Amino acid sequence: MRLVVRTVSELCITVGTVIVLFVAYVLFWTGVKADTVMDDEIDRLQRQWAEGEIRPTRTAAAPGAPAAPAEPAAYENGRAFAIMYIPRLGFTWNKPVLEGTRTDTLKKGLGHYAGTAQLGQRGNFSVAGHRRTYGDPFKDFPRLRPGDAVVLTDGTTWFTYRIDKGPYKTVPTDIEVIDPLPRMSGYTRPGRYLTLTTCEPEWGHSHRLIVWAHLDSTQPVEAGKPAALRR
């Protein structure tokens, strides 16, 4: 009996140690790796832009009006094409946006829902991100409020969106949130919109949190950072 008790005790200690190590891996190491990968994606994009790559031609627009790519090229699945900034989440917060929402893609940054509008185009440019693990990109998502700026650049233009509604809680099957004209967004006519989605609760995935925004302004990168990114 003494041997059985000792064996069971040692087994429990071993299992407990494995669980602690696994939790440490999920909470810490995946975040370290993800931060490095996201930084590498941003560095790669900025090098390409500096070398004149990935610079779509844009049609002329009236002063202050949103500029749109002329016949924009399709995004390449799993590849970064833009950088997102959300000042509400910190002036050092920036994440790469990649095409697609597969698990391996979201480990590298935020993911653009394939089939939704392209950046700055008419329709609903929709993006997903992890709430927790893999860098916790949207950990503070509930802090977002109407009026907050969400700024993106594709290397040639700055796009400033303004949040109109959210965070709105729904279920994963509610795919209408990324429709060109989302039913619960409050929008009544087609426009240039942005949808951000993440998991709810913080360590679960039974629900989703959503924010909707409209394209407020654009400006060429040569003009410097937009007002929303200036301290």
Side-chain angles (χ1 to χ4, degrees):
M1 179 62 69
R2 188 175 301 172
L3 179 61
V4 171
V5 171
R6 182 183 303 168
T7 301
V8 171
S9 298
E10 291 177 352
L11 181 60
C12 290
I13 292 173
T14 300
V15 171
T17 301
V18 170
I19 292 174
V20 169
L21 291 174
F22 176 74
V23 171
Y25 171 79
V26 170
L27 293 179
F28 177 72
W29 187 242
T30 60
V32 171
K33 290 173 64 177
D35 286 341
T36 299
V37 170
M38 285 189 278
D39 288 344
D40 289 344
E41 290 287 343
I42 290 174
D43 289 343
R44 181 182 62 79
L45 270 180
Q46 292 176 333
R47 285 196 304 270
Q48 289 178 323
W49 294 340
E51 294 167 0
E53 300 178 29
I54 318 180
R55 288 182 174 269
T57 301
R58 299 190 177 275
T59 55
E71 300 181 2
Y75 300 139
E76 186 177 346
N77 190 44
R79 297 277 290 181
F81 62 87
I83 302 172
M84 180 183 291
Y85 304 79
I86 305 181
R88 167 73 73 176
L89 304 185
F91 274 91
T92 61
W93 190 100
N94 62 343
K95 307 296 176 187
V97 183
L98 299 87
E99 177 64 2
T101 54
R102 291 176 46 168
T103 300
D104 57 342
T105 300
L106 292 178
K107 291 179 181 180
K108 303 176 184 177
L110 309 178
H112 171 245
Y113 285 94
T116 66
Q118 292 188 323
L119 180 56
Q121 291 287 297
R122 182 170 294 274
N124 187 3
F125 178 71
S126 302
V127 176
H130 280 298
R131 180 85 176 274
R132 280 293 194 172
T133 70
Y134 298 107
D136 306 334
F138 279 157
K139 176 175 66 72
D140 294 323
F141 198 94
R143 293 178 53 201
L144 297 177
R145 294 290 181 270
D148 285 349
V150 180
V151 183
L152 295 104
T153 182
D154 62 1
T156 186
T157 301
W158 289 104
F159 301 84
T160 300
Y161 290 83
R162 290 284 173 183
I163 294 176
D164 296 304
K165 183 175 180 178
Y168 166 77
K169 186 176 179 179
T170 188
V171 293
T173 54
D174 185 8
I175 59 175
E176 292 182 354
V177 298
I178 61 172
D179 280 353
L181 190 60
R183 181 172 56 87
M184 298 300 294
S185 64
Y187 301 131
T188 58
R189 59 184 179 181
R192 303 178 193 273
Y193 302 127
L194 165 72
T195 297
L196 301 180
T197 76
T198 194
C199 291
E200 170 71 6
E202 190 170 347
W203 288 104
H205 49 79
S206 62
H207 289 76
R208 297 288 184 270
L209 289 181
I210 315 293
V211 298
W212 288 290
H214 71 278
L215 183 60
D216 185 59
S217 64
T218 65
Q219 68 183 61
V221 294
E222 291 82 2
K225 290 184 178 180
L229 295 184
R230 298 183 205 142
R231 301 196 186 194

